[in-house]
Amino acid sequence: MTQDFQGRTAVVTGGTGGIGSAVVRRLVLAGCKVVSVSLNAEEAAASLAAESGAECLNLDVRDRKVVMDALAPADPDFLVLAHGALGRTGTLFDQPEDSVHRLLDVNVLGVQNCLQAVIPGMIARNDGHVVMIGSVAVYPSLGQPVYSATKAAVHSMARNLRMELFPHRVRVTEVRPGRVASGMHAEMFEGGLAEAKKRLYDPVHCLTPDEIAEAIVWALEKPAHLCVAELEILATEHVIGGVRYHGL
């Protein structure tokens, strides 16, 4: 028997773009009250609120006090952590300091801030579900080494959180998508989204934000005794791994 979303509350970070907005729309349609959290996206937030009826908060997940003040009173049943940052393509040894700090602050500390605001309420109710968006970038990859490191941190945090929450009935799901045509990759190139489409989206089959959102809602609706702990989603044409040899 699946869970009923009627009367339930969800907080979705990164809620005005890509995977986050797709999750917001699906949860609202399912009857959930949704609080969408995003940064500097007033126009997108207004559009999303008008379209879906979700409450939209302009909030920086890096600011612990702001996060605590805004999210703790919301006391959500579901927390979907879909915010994230990328950086310019490069190597581990040539990253600008400000870029490294931004990636760590958004992708790791921002996650921890949200957990600190929301988890105590879930423990008190002995009920709740956290979805953490990781990435297949946890595997070694070229071009985004610091981003990969932050997603490896999210992977570790998700597993650790499940241990910490035992024996409470608070579930934790880590979702690791392959390449998603969400627009997020615009950060990687001087040419922005147009260059990202040219290099990363158009040549291959990419996943869509709505496909990932569908999987997230599928995990959320499972009965309380069942936890989808990890979910890795790839395009059929996307394979991870391989061996590299110099000269071959």
Side-chain angles (χ1 to χ4, degrees):
M1 183 176 180
T2 59
Q3 289 217 59
D4 185 357
F5 289 115
Q6 296 290 332
R8 309 274 266 173
T9 299
V11 166
V12 182
T13 66
T16 56
I19 295 171
S21 64
V23 172
V24 169
R25 291 183 177 92
R26 281 185 171 270
L27 286 178
V28 168
L29 284 174
C32 204
K33 175 187 175 183
V34 181
V35 179
S36 168
V37 172
S38 59
L39 175 64
N40 296 331
E42 288 84 355
E43 186 176 334
S47 173
L48 183 67
E51 175 190 341
S52 68
E55 177 185 354
C56 294
L57 297 180
N58 191 63
L59 182 153
D60 188 342
V61 296
R62 296 172 293 185
D63 190 324
R64 176 166 298 210
K65 184 178 186 309
V66 168
V67 170
M68 294 294 295
D69 290 346
L71 300 192
D75 198 23
D77 302 283
F78 310 118
L79 174 64
V80 180
L81 296 166
H83 68 271
L86 271 168
R88 288 290 172 85
T89 301
T91 63
L92 192 56
F93 49 85
D94 72 355
Q95 298 295 302
E97 183 179 4
D98 60 343
S99 176
V100 172
H101 279 290
R102 176 171 172 267
L103 285 167
L104 291 171
D105 288 347
V106 173
N107 294 356
V108 181
L109 295 179
V111 167
Q112 201 278 328
N113 288 341
C114 294
L115 294 175
Q116 187 151 343
V118 169
I119 291 293
M122 292 182 173
I123 291 175
R125 290 193 313 275
N126 199 35
D127 182 59
H129 197 151
V130 177
V131 176
M132 301 169 73
I133 307 295
S135 171
V136 294
V138 295
Y139 305 109
S141 59
L142 297 176
Q144 284 288 326
V146 180
Y147 175 79
S148 292
T150 64
K151 289 305 182 179
V154 168
H155 173 65
S156 180
M157 291 165 76
R159 287 191 165 191
N160 214 72
L161 185 61
R162 289 198 72 235
M163 292 179 62
E164 293 168 348
L165 289 172
F166 181 81
H168 303 289
R169 290 174 70 86
V170 179
R171 297 178 291 173
V172 180
T173 299
E174 181 201 1
V175 179
R176 294 192 298 273
R179 187 177 299 169
V180 180
S182 64
M184 183 182 185
H185 299 86
E187 293 185 46
M188 294 174 60
F189 306 108
E190 292 284 354
L193 183 57
E195 189 66 19
K197 278 178 57 61
K198 177 182 174 183
R199 294 200 197 186
L200 301 180
Y201 297 167
D202 294 343
V204 298
H205 180 85
C206 294
L207 301 167
T208 69
D210 197 57
E211 287 169 337
I212 305 304
E214 180 183 17
I216 290 170
V217 174
W218 172 81
L220 289 174
E221 70 184 3
K222 291 292 168 283
H225 72 277
L226 191 158
C227 177
V228 180
E230 297 182 12
L231 192 57
E232 191 166 280
I233 308 170
L234 300 172
T236 303
E237 295 88 350
H238 183 178
V239 176
I240 299 167
V243 178
R244 291 166 59 91
Y245 285 96
H246 180 68
L248 294 180

